[in-house]
Amino acid sequence: MATKRKIPQEQQQQQQQQDNEKKRPRIDEDRLDNLPESLQCHILSFLDTKHAVQTSVLSKPWLRLWTSMPVLHLNYFAFDKLRAFDKFVNNVLRYRDKSAKLNTLTFIRRGISSAKILKKVIDYAFSHGVNHLELFIQHCRNNSFPVCLHNSDSLKTLTLKTQSYVSFPFLSGSFKNLTVLHLKGAIIENLEPFSSGFPMLEKLVLNDCQFGRILSVQASKLSDLTISCHGWFDRCELTTPNLRFFEYIGSDFPMLKTHDGLPVLETVVIDFHGVCNRVHEKRMFDDLISLFGALCTAKSLTLFSSIVDLLCLFSEELVNSYSPFRKLKCLNLGLRYLLYQNLFERPRRWSIESVEMPAVVKAYLLHKSPEAKFSVIYPHRCNYFECTTSCTC
């Protein structure tokens, strides 16, 4: 009588798996093709536009899918030559579905950008109701953006960054729903550039811009203002009754005039970059104290180490002075750099092991707010430090 050969357990599992595969219904269509077209376009929106266009080879339904994407990322990084990049941009704008909505357009280009390519990109964005527009260029021919459409009701956020100073003439237009404006390297010739044309503006960032000797900001809804410059103006006039956050980084301290007293101001950040000799130390100290007076309603104050160094130079005056800050709940010492080098001529050493604001400076700042919490803010890029205390205002 023949004995039945015993099948190993591994072979039994493989045979069972094969049988299950045969019973399972086969799916011939690609899973991506089964997704709704709106979801497919959303997935492509995370890709650089060049790579999104290349997905047209995946299948027939994807052949023209990229033409309906609501987001365009036009980036020169994916091209060896700028001429090929400009040609690609022209083709994308030419063959894109004219009825498709445009939510976001990002344009990044190195070298000298011609007025022709810039005008085409900006005109296309505005004419297709773009909501978010970001332009990053290295240089612009004739140091001026082309005069494009001056009005837009759809634009909500606008970012314009250049490595050289460029005039933006179309900023004089009307942007009724713009809430965020970020400018870097802009030459602003209008005396009141942020007034009637930006009625809904909530956040304004001015990084290394030129705007004459006076900067005037009139924005009733503005809540967040950041100014980083190299001493291009003498006076700053603010008509911003809803301003809650104010950050200033500069090589000098302008005279700050507020027409409403900043009644809801909560957070103030002040830093200094540059080098100051003894000839200008006293003037800068007086300007800094004047700036403090205009920001006296702040609840949270962050001063970086360079500001503390300047205050320490005139400690005797601080002892005999009264702080204007009467509502402080948080006082922060910021350490922006890994190496804490004094920017003034007189030497001062910051101890890495135990960083502390000098007693005379702290006593001055907290004279009217002795219960305020004190914190040290270390550089985020440095892994050697951690914040010693936490402050929640």
Side-chain angles (χ1 to χ4, degrees), residues 12 52 56 78 176 192 195 221 229 255 257 301 332 334 365 368 380 385:
Q12 290 180 359
S56 59
K176 295 181 179 180
E192 296 181 355
S195 55
K221 294 184 178 296
C229 62
M255 180 190 305
K257 181 179 180 181
L301 175 64
N332 304 313
L365 295 172
K368 297 180 180 180
H380 294 294
F385 308 123

Side-chain angles (χ1 to χ4, degrees), residues 41 53 80 117 317 330 378:
C41 290
V53 172
D80 296 331
I117 187 68
E317 293 194 27
C330 295
Y378 292 103

Side-chain angles (χ1 to χ4, degrees), residues 154-319:
S154 63
L155 194 62
K156 296 179 180 179
T157 66
L158 176 60
T159 300
L160 303 174
K161 295 184 179 181
T162 67
Q163 291 187 5
S164 60
Y165 294 107
V166 173
S167 175
F168 296 109
F170 65 92
L171 285 178
S172 59
S174 175
F175 301 87
K176 295 181 179 180
N177 294 304
L178 188 71
T179 59
V180 179
L181 177 60
H182 190 160
L183 301 177
K184 181 182 183 301
I187 300 176
I188 303 173
E189 300 175 352
N190 190 353
L191 296 178
E192 296 181 355
F194 313 107
S195 55
S196 59
F198 305 88
M200 303 299 292
L201 190 63
E202 297 178 0
K203 182 177 181 178
L204 175 62
V205 179
L206 302 175
N207 185 5
D208 195 18
C209 296
Q210 294 184 12
F211 22 68
R213 309 312 303 179
I214 300 177
L215 172 62
S216 177
V217 180
Q218 301 179 28
S220 60
K221 294 184 178 296
L222 189 70
S223 62
D224 191 318
L225 175 60
T226 298
I227 302 174
S228 177
C229 62
H230 295 80
W232 289 108
F233 66 106
D234 296 327
R235 188 167 80 248
C236 181
E237 298 181 357
L238 301 181
T239 306
T240 53
N242 289 303
L243 190 67
R244 296 182 178 274
F245 176 88
F246 178 80
E247 181 177 7
Y248 177 81
I249 306 172
S251 57
D252 211 337
F253 305 109
M255 180 190 305
L256 181 60
K257 181 179 180 181
T258 61
H259 297 278
D260 46 48
L262 304 179
V264 297
L265 183 64
E266 294 186 357
T267 304
V268 170
V269 180
I270 303 177
D271 194 7
F272 171 86
H273 61 73
V275 178
C276 179
N277 54 41
R278 297 193 179 188
V279 177
H280 303 293
E281 286 176 353
K282 185 60 171 66
R283 176 185 60 80
M284 291 190 62
F285 172 80
D286 293 338
D287 292 343
L288 178 60
I289 298 300
S290 177
L291 183 62
F292 284 167
L295 302 171
C296 62
T297 57
K299 296 179 181 179
S300 174
L301 175 64
T302 299
L303 301 179
F304 283 83
S305 54
S306 55
I307 300 297
V308 177
D309 287 334
L310 177 60
L311 294 173
C312 287
L313 297 181
F314 303 91
S315 57
E316 294 183 0
E317 293 194 27
L318 292 181
V319 173

